[in-house]
Amino acid sequence: MSQPKSKPPLEPEGAVPKAVVNRLSLYLRELLRLVRDGHQTTSSSHLGNLLGFTDAQVRKDLAYFGHFGYPGIGYRCQELIDAIRRILGTDRFWPVAMVGVGNLGRALLGYKGFGQQNFRIVAAFDVAADKIGESIDGVPVHPLDKLTEVVRQQRIKLGMVVVPASSAQTVADKLVAAGVEGIVNFAPVTIVLPPTVNLVGVDLAMELEQLSFAVVNRGNVVPANDD
Amino acid sequence: MSQPKSKPPLEPEGAVPKAVVNRLSLYLRELLRLVRDGHQTTSSSHLGNLLGFTDAQVRKDLAYFGHFGYPGIGYRCQELIDAIRRILGTDRFWPVAMVGVGNLGRALLGYKGFGQQNFRIVAAFDVAADKIGESIDGVPVHPLDKLTEVVRQQRIKLGMVVVPASSAQTVADKLVAAGVEGIVNFAPVTIVLPPTVNLVGVDLAMELEQLSFAVVNRGNVVPANDD
DNA sequence: TAGATTGTTAATCGATTAACAATC
DNA sequence: TAGATTGTTAATCGATTAACAATC
């Protein structure tokens, strides 16, 4: 409670809602585009308009982590980019492990977007003998048996599960046992992990379901004229 | 306002929060697994426990759409599956158009999970001459020029944008102009559509960013002991 | 019947927005 | 200076949870 000499840099006071962190990623993506287009500064209302949020929301989200703006001016784009990167942790390099070298796995190995945010898949794993030893897009494919060893050795903290639903839980458990602390699960199945491990699920069919619902219920959202 | 003879079947009274529809998809996925494992019935607390939700939430979500349960018994799995499918619209067949036959696009063409929920990519589009004419996983690859014609003719209502960020907006506009009413955008860029068109964005790097944030802020979430 | 579980209302909790003094 | 825009507080809105009568 004694007056702090310098502000603690970029860590939030208390818990941050998931939705806020999600929007932070969107702000970052938009800011990068603004800089590419030659913008030096932006404002909460400008950034909000671009993404469909209110200006108040933009300011509130950022205020969880510090004072990044200049009253009367707005935000300097590059400065805010650097700040959000520090907040998200993408100012440092993140090696990623991927399990499952099927169609989708191969596509992820070649995906350029990861590197731009400082993620790199450095090791892939599969059980199929014919895939092992291969190097795809420069990423070595190891036998699943080697998972613990490789993940430990390279201190990999993030993993992607790209195996069939039937083996997703087992694979996720192995990743966690090897020290992984965050997992993206592409298998269309619920997996359960210790509360200390972070989990994001991407179910491609579910995304389409959200759309078919919306299309079927078009216009039904408003109270509806009775006949 | 005259008393209705029979209840309107599976349409909500008013607006349904997005989060509810999302959970509906999760319930469906879990119910399908329960049936596969031989369960006949479940309950709101059973289903909730499996997914990490409260029993009240499960009941409330379903109550938006009707009365599907039996007091004292719970829910009959197959019955609830059928109901949720009608709600989501996946009781009918949905032809889908995909634009962009790169690595990720090819992987999506081979993805089995869509068919199980009654979605099928029936047409793919690209600008690259060497890809056009090809048939990948049974899906014809058309020149982008043919988009309007094919989408109109087959009355396609759902589209997937799997092109580079620089062309995502243009491609999405074309899909909308051709009659598509829902789009999944895999390009890492914000796209803007008329409010009548539904949009879901999947940004793979953003998913990892959510995890790096969580890993970096581990333990920092609780109020924090000051020193 | 007693036990279980629903659908729904009221209470709680959390997130978004509006408003404005402080600042450049 | 006047105009613009921040950070933050208080008000509003919406979503989740608890509780319970009704039901099987």
Side-chain angles (χ1 to χ4, degrees):
Chain A
M1 281 297 169
S2 53
Q3 76 283 47
K5 271 228 138 138
S6 60
K7 328 168 215 172
L10 296 175
E11 311 208 322
E13 294 292 300
V16 180
K18 279 236 174 67
V20 171
V21 184
N22 202 73
R23 285 193 295 269
L24 243 35
S25 280
L26 291 171
Y27 300 152
L28 174 57
R29 199 173 74 177
E30 209 60 29
L31 285 162
L32 288 166
R33 195 186 58 74
L34 287 174
V35 164
R36 229 178 292 125
D37 291 357
H39 288 76
Q40 302 279 322
T41 64
T42 184
S43 66
S44 56
S45 56
H46 181 219
L47 200 47
N49 285 153
L50 290 170
L51 290 161
F53 305 136
T54 63
D55 57 333
Q57 178 141 76
V58 173
R59 291 197 300 277
K60 191 115 216 283
D61 285 347
L62 296 172
Y64 275 96
F65 303 97
H67 301 191
F68 305 116
Y70 301 89
I73 310 289
Y75 302 87
R76 303 203 213 287
C77 295
Q78 189 57 56
E79 233 176 79
L80 190 51
I81 287 171
D82 293 345
I84 296 180
R85 283 200 160 133
R86 280 204 296 286
I87 295 165
L88 292 175
T90 54
D91 57 334
R92 67 193 79 174
F93 173 71
W94 291 88
V96 177
M98 200 194 79
V99 189
V101 186
N103 276 306
L104 186 55
R106 274 168 205 275
L108 295 176
L109 286 176
Y111 188 68
K112 297 296 188 303
F114 295 140
Q116 287 159 18
Q117 304 307 328
N118 248 333
F119 300 106
R120 186 158 83 222
I121 304 176
V122 296
F125 301 89
D126 206 297
V127 288
D130 58 318
K131 287 172 190 163
I132 294 165
E134 220 185 330
S135 176
I136 303 177
D137 279 287
V139 182
V141 180
H142 303 283
L144 191 56
D145 302 338
K146 285 269 160 49
L147 190 149
T148 308
E149 186 186 323
V150 174
V151 168
R152 287 236 173 94
Q153 205 152 7
Q154 307 205 32
R155 287 178 171 64
I156 295 171
K157 293 291 164 223
L158 302 180
M160 300 181 120
V161 173
V162 201
V163 300
S166 53
S167 37
Q169 180 69 59
T170 307
V171 159
D173 290 342
K174 275 197 225 285
L175 283 168
V176 171
V180 160
E181 295 177 6
I183 289 176
V184 184
N185 175 34
F186 287 90
V189 66
T190 304
I191 66 181
V192 180
L193 298 176
T196 50
V197 179
N198 305 284
L199 177 65
V200 170
V202 178
D203 186 318
L204 300 171
M206 272 184 52
E207 311 291 354
L208 284 176
E209 286 170 5
Q210 304 307 296
L211 294 180
S212 63
F213 172 85
V215 171
V216 164
N217 290 273
R218 166 67 48 67
N220 209 89
V221 184
V222 191
N225 48 341
D226 248 352
D227 57 323
Chain B
M1 278 301 166
S2 53
Q3 75 283 42
K5 271 225 136 141
S6 60
K7 332 168 213 172
L10 294 175
E11 312 209 322
E13 293 293 301
V16 180
K18 281 236 172 68
V20 171
V21 185
N22 201 72
R23 286 193 295 269
L24 242 36
S25 280
L26 291 171
Y27 300 152
L28 174 58
R29 197 174 76 176
E30 208 60 31
L31 285 161
L32 288 166
R33 195 188 57 76
L34 287 174
V35 165
R36 230 178 292 122
D37 292 358
H39 289 75
Q40 302 279 323
T41 64
T42 184
S43 66
S44 56
S45 55
H46 182 219
L47 199 47
N49 287 154
L50 290 170
L51 290 162
F53 305 137
T54 64
D55 57 333
Q57 178 140 74
V58 173
R59 292 196 300 278
K60 192 114 214 283
D61 285 347
L62 295 173
Y64 274 95
F65 303 96
H67 300 192
F68 306 116
Y70 301 89
I73 310 290
Y75 302 87
R76 303 205 213 288
C77 294
Q78 189 58 56
E79 235 176 78
L80 191 51
I81 286 170
D82 294 344
I84 295 180
R85 282 199 162 133
R86 279 203 297 286
I87 295 166
L88 292 176
T90 54
D91 58 333
R92 69 194 78 173
F93 173 71
W94 292 88
V96 178
M98 199 194 79
V99 189
V101 186
N103 276 306
L104 185 56
R106 275 166 205 273
L108 295 176
L109 286 175
Y111 188 69
K112 297 296 188 302
F114 295 139
Q116 288 160 17
Q117 305 307 328
N118 248 334
F119 301 105
R120 186 158 82 222
I121 303 175
V122 296
F125 300 89
D126 206 297
V127 287
D130 57 317
K131 289 171 186 163
I132 295 165
E134 221 186 328
S135 175
I136 302 177
D137 280 288
V139 182
V141 180
H142 303 283
L144 191 55
D145 302 338
K146 285 269 160 45
L147 190 149
T148 308
E149 184 186 324
V150 174
V151 167
R152 285 235 174 97
Q153 204 151 7
Q154 309 205 30
R155 289 179 170 61
I156 295 171
K157 293 289 163 224
L158 302 180
M160 299 180 122
V161 173
V162 202
V163 299
S166 52
S167 39
Q169 180 70 60
T170 307
V171 160
D173 290 340
K174 275 197 223 286
L175 284 168
V176 171
V180 160
E181 294 177 5
I183 289 177
V184 184
N185 174 35
F186 286 91
V189 66
T190 304
I191 65 182
V192 179
L193 298 175
T196 51
V197 179
N198 305 283
L199 177 65
V200 170
V202 178
D203 185 320
L204 300 170
M206 271 184 53
E207 312 291 354
L208 284 176
E209 286 169 4
Q210 304 306 297
L211 294 181
S212 63
F213 172 85
V215 171
V216 164
N217 292 273
R218 168 69 47 66
N220 211 89
V221 184
V222 191
N225 47 343
D226 248 353
D227 56 321

